Amino acid sequence: MNRRFNFNAGPSALPLEVLDQAQSELISYQQFGMSVMEFSHRSKEYKAIHEGAVNLLRELLQIPDDYEVLFLQGGASLQFSMVPMNFLQDGQQGNYFITGSWSQKALKEAQKVGETFTGATGEHTNFSRIPTEEELTYSDNDAYVHITSNNTIHGTQWKEFPKKADKTFIADMSSDILSRSIPIEQFGLIYAGAQKNLGPAGVTVVILKKDLLKDTPENLPTMLDYRTHVEKSSLYNTPPSFSIYMLSLVLKWTKKYGGIQAIEEWNKQKANLLYHTIDASKGFYTGIADKDSRSSMNVTFILPEKQLEELFLKEAEEEGFVGLKGHRSIGGCRASIYNAVPLESVEALCDFMNTFHQKHNI
């Protein structure tokens, strides 16, 4: 079987080992005679998968005991609404640091719920960089401060997370969770859609500090109340059981290959190789993000001419490279090099880029 070089931004590459194992267990999970997709979510077999995934995520990310781990549905987009509904009280405001399209969308949903404040924005630079600590503004009325840790569209990433002792930070980490060490204690809540580094689409991980639940309003819709899912261990309703099973396999794969520390070094190696290829081209390829804000997950770049860019994407697809077209909102090219993208794929892309440069240098 010929596997393509998958650089999709999400749903994205999954480890081949994980796909092989899922295939082998698809019809009969551990010789049980049923697929995971056929298990009752109340069964002991599924419960073992579910609890195993929670425990392994806790181990890999070193999640303290005073945090809950939830598996929810609705993607990160539903969290845009759940966060302010649960934590934005009258007389307070949600403080949003705007670093790209997804933080803009999170702000838009919060504005429907209550008062908001924009404590930083990168719109004036077309989101080409992450704001400095000096550019961040806080307010005495902040209920929480929201950031998006990695910006898939523009290819920027917070290298150091903002700190302010008296603030509750909430982070959308959909596109870089599990890719590097995270100081969990700096955040009140972290959420992440699975379809980048954690598994297939369909499940959203929420890591929530228990203390935050004490002031949650009482009149929330049941399914939009974090307490509902905490009290029922994410089993209030039927969970996305197969997605959680796949997530558990990805977590086992991550542990097998050295855990977060090893994965982080691997990701740095891939990103450095690709950015070196861009920079060494001396302007044939130009990175979109400022160098000190470059993402290790989403590498964005442009070519000198639109016609040349289209030819690049056409020839790349013919050579088996998938997902290199930039987001429709900014164009250009983008290579998403999440955890499951092997180094060999990045090396192959760099070879193709160098060859294309030599053929079409202007």
Side-chain angles (χ1 to χ4, degrees):
M1 181 189 301
N2 292 324
R3 294 275 295 170
R4 296 202 171 207
F5 301 112
N6 185 355
F7 293 97
N8 277 319
S12 54
L14 287 165
L16 186 56
E17 286 183 37
V18 167
L19 295 173
D20 281 339
Q21 182 174 349
Q23 183 183 45
S24 71
E25 296 179 332
L26 185 63
I27 295 175
S28 181
Y29 173 73
Q30 296 186 355
Q31 308 306 312
F32 189 73
M34 291 169 54
S35 171
V36 170
M37 289 182 283
E38 299 175 291
F39 286 159
S40 165
H41 64 291
R42 308 294 182 190
S43 67
K44 63 179 182 180
E45 290 80 17
Y46 175 71
K47 184 179 180 181
I49 293 170
H50 192 105
E51 292 180 351
V54 170
N55 292 335
L56 193 48
L57 191 64
R58 284 188 177 277
E59 177 186 340
L60 289 169
L61 293 180
Q62 299 182 354
I63 301 172
D65 291 340
D66 59 340
Y67 284 76
E68 300 284 354
V69 175
L70 304 175
F71 295 145
L72 306 183
Q73 300 177 64
S77 294
L78 184 57
Q79 295 304 306
F80 297 164
S81 300
M82 284 186 71
V83 165
M85 290 176 74
N86 281 262
F87 306 125
L88 186 50
Q89 309 293 331
D90 290 341
Q92 295 180 314
Q93 59 188 14
N95 189 348
Y96 284 75
F97 295 165
I98 307 302
T99 53
S101 175
W102 295 109
S103 50
Q104 285 179 319
K105 291 181 178 181
L107 172 63
K108 182 179 179 180
E109 294 306 306
Q111 288 171 337
K112 299 175 183 179
V113 176
E115 296 298 319
T116 62
F117 174 70
T118 300
T121 180
E123 289 185 79
H124 58 289
T125 65
N126 197 28
F127 300 120
S128 64
R129 66 178 180 86
I130 296 296
T132 64
E133 191 73 33
E134 292 73 24
E135 294 174 299
L136 306 179
T137 303
Y138 301 90
S139 168
D140 292 339
N141 294 329
D142 291 343
Y144 56 82
V145 181
H146 182 283
I147 71 167
T148 303
S149 61
N150 183 79
N151 302 282
T152 56
I153 293 176
H154 294 84
T156 61
Q157 185 177 36
W158 290 85
K159 300 302 180 183
E160 297 290 336
F161 296 116
K163 295 179 182 178
K164 196 163 176 59
D166 62 338
K167 296 298 177 183
T168 296
F169 285 92
I170 292 176
D172 175 359
M173 293 192 179
S174 294
S175 56
D176 65 349
I177 195 169
L178 211 67
S179 72
R180 56 174 172 163
S181 299
I182 302 171
I184 301 291
E185 296 88 347
Q186 284 184 218
F187 295 93
L189 186 147
I190 294 168
Y191 62 90
Q195 64 274 12
K196 316 285 189 177
N197 279 325
L198 290 169
V203 60
T204 303
V205 168
V206 172
I207 302 168
L208 167 65
K209 193 166 187 178
K210 296 177 182 179
D211 286 352
L212 285 185
L213 298 172
K214 64 181 185 298
D215 296 322
T216 303
E218 293 297 330
N219 61 343
L220 293 177
T222 301
M223 288 296 292
L224 300 179
D225 189 330
Y226 286 117
R227 292 171 301 186
T228 299
H229 305 289
V230 168
E231 292 167 4
K232 298 297 182 180
S233 302
S234 305
L235 293 169
Y236 176 81
N237 66 326
T238 306
S241 55
F242 191 76
S243 293
I244 294 170
Y245 157 73
M246 290 294 293
L247 181 148
S248 74
L249 296 186
V250 172
L251 296 178
K252 290 176 183 176
W253 173 84
T254 303
K255 182 177 180 179
K256 176 182 176 180
Y257 287 98
I260 300 296
Q261 185 175 6
I263 292 291
E264 184 170 6
E265 289 303 313
W266 191 15
N267 287 330
K268 286 179 182 178
Q269 187 178 359
K270 292 185 293 183
N272 288 340
L273 180 61
L274 190 46
Y275 283 122
H276 174 75
T277 299
I278 291 170
D279 294 339
S281 73
K282 298 181 179 179
F284 186 81
Y285 303 108
T286 302
I288 293 176
D290 287 8
K291 288 186 177 181
D292 59 357
S293 296
R294 283 174 164 176
S295 169
S296 61
M297 295 283 96
N298 310 97
V299 178
T300 53
F301 57 97
I302 58 174
L303 279 76
E305 300 172 354
K306 183 66 175 177
Q307 187 175 2
L308 194 61
E309 203 167 86
E310 291 174 353
L311 181 61
F312 173 85
L313 293 170
K314 178 178 180 294
E315 291 190 8
E317 186 171 356
E318 291 171 353
E319 293 297 321
F321 296 96
V322 175
L324 291 177
K325 187 175 183 179
H327 192 271
R328 61 188 177 275
S329 63
I330 66 169
C333 303
R334 172 178 58 182
S336 296
I337 50 175
Y338 299 122
N339 291 0
V341 175
L343 176 61
E344 293 77 13
S345 292
V346 177
E347 290 173 335
L349 176 58
C350 291
D351 288 343
F352 170 78
M353 290 172 68
N354 287 329
T355 300
F356 187 87
H357 181 194
Q358 292 168 6
K359 286 169 55 179
H360 301 282
N361 195 16
I362 56 176

